[in-house]
Amino acid sequence: MGLPTPGTNKLQVLRAIEEGWQAFCRAPWPFLLFEVLVLAVSAPFAALLAGGVIRLNSPEPAFVHPIAAGIGLVVGLVGYVMVALWGAVGLSRAAWISLDGQKPSFAQFTRWDRCASGRLLGSVLLLSILIGVVGVLATLIGNALGQVNAALAALPAVVFGVFYIWLLVSQKFLLQLSLFGVKRPLETIQAGVSGVNPSWWVVLWLAIVEAVIHAVAALFSYGGLLVVLPVVICTSTAAYRQLFGSQDHTGILKA
């Protein structure tokens, strides 16, 4: 399958919000029930992860042996990441189906897709490594410049901050590109940059609007956040389809 053609379409934020809301309204209860299921399955792993971190960082003696705490931490981390990937893939797949005008079945939410989850994990790790490497370089350069002039020490931090904001906006559709666009993490990062740059400011505006929606939902506590997550995923997916087209390039819908 060919790669998505970036930068050929214009992003309309209000239209994306409208399409995202309509997609959620086609199957509100399956969206919410799947979210509850993901939270329930991830809770024990989150508890293991938190317990392991607390025990290994506590100087006080405890009933849990450090080795057992370490094993619990690893099991909790691996399990939590897998459940998070399962949830992200399920919600994104259902959002795409709903945007196509169909009502997704609960089985389409819950189906595990190893390849799609692997692509998403690889893209997230690569992005994290890229940010980490640039951050370390900025710190080293800042320390070196600080030996010459204290005022110059802040310059790399400012440059890194600008780069960080630009990169995060350019990777706004990392989730959708990983699942529907390309099959390799490096290509995902590249497609995000080339596809978003022509509409960078509009994508930034979309990110700000979604952040405001999250903030308003937080006022209604957990219920509001439970509703807003699938709505935002549907909205982002609708915006992705405007920029990159509505073709499934990876075959995730057929898997």
Side-chain angles (χ1 to χ4, degrees):
M1 296 182 180
L3 297 179
T5 303
T8 57
N9 302 306
K10 292 184 178 181
L11 172 60
Q12 301 176 34
V13 174
L14 294 180
R15 177 185 155 200
I17 294 173
E18 181 182 0
E19 291 177 346
W21 176 251
Q22 291 174 348
F24 170 73
C25 289
R26 287 191 179 95
W29 289 115
F31 272 109
L32 297 179
L33 288 175
F34 180 65
E35 276 191 284
V36 171
L37 178 61
V38 171
L39 290 174
V41 175
S42 66
F45 295 111
L48 280 173
L49 179 59
V53 170
I54 293 173
R55 171 64 185 90
L56 293 176
N57 288 278
S58 175
E60 301 295 330
F63 294 107
V64 180
H65 193 277
I67 295 179
I71 294 174
L73 188 150
V74 173
V75 172
L77 177 61
V78 172
Y80 188 83
V81 169
M82 291 184 66
V83 175
L85 292 171
W86 173 55
V89 172
L91 288 173
S92 300
R93 182 194 296 116
W96 191 279
I97 293 171
S98 191
L99 286 165
D100 278 339
Q102 307 172 37
K103 182 177 179 179
S105 66
F106 201 67
Q108 290 170 319
F109 280 92
T110 58
R111 187 174 76 246
W112 170 257
D113 190 322
R114 179 181 58 83
C115 294
S117 299
R119 291 197 305 272
L120 178 57
L121 178 60
S123 298
V124 171
L125 289 176
L126 180 59
L127 179 61
S128 301
I129 292 171
L130 177 59
I131 292 174
V133 169
V134 175
V136 170
L137 288 176
T139 301
L140 294 175
I141 295 173
N143 291 337
L145 291 176
Q147 302 296 323
V148 178
N149 189 314
L152 294 176
L155 183 59
V158 174
V159 174
F160 174 72
V162 173
F163 169 79
Y164 181 72
I165 294 173
W166 168 81
L167 183 64
L168 287 187
V169 174
S170 74
Q171 300 307 309
K172 175 69 175 67
F173 304 110
L174 181 76
L175 173 62
Q176 290 79 15
L177 278 168
S178 299
L179 300 183
F180 305 103
V182 294
K183 294 186 176 182
R184 294 181 179 85
L186 182 58
E187 291 177 350
T188 300
I189 303 296
Q190 293 171 339
V193 171
S194 59
V196 169
N197 269 353
S199 307
W200 192 91
W201 289 104
V202 184
V203 176
L204 175 62
W205 172 236
L206 172 66
I208 293 173
V209 171
E210 290 182 348
V212 171
I213 294 174
H214 272 289
V216 172
L219 298 177
F220 297 92
S221 191
Y222 298 108
L225 293 174
L226 195 68
V227 172
V228 78
L229 179 59
V231 172
V232 168
I233 288 181
C234 287
T235 299
S236 293
T237 305
Y240 165 85
R241 287 159 62 106
Q242 287 185 30
L243 283 180
F244 294 91
S246 56
Q247 181 181 350
D248 170 22
H249 293 273
T250 64
I252 184 177
L253 301 179
K254 301 175 183 178

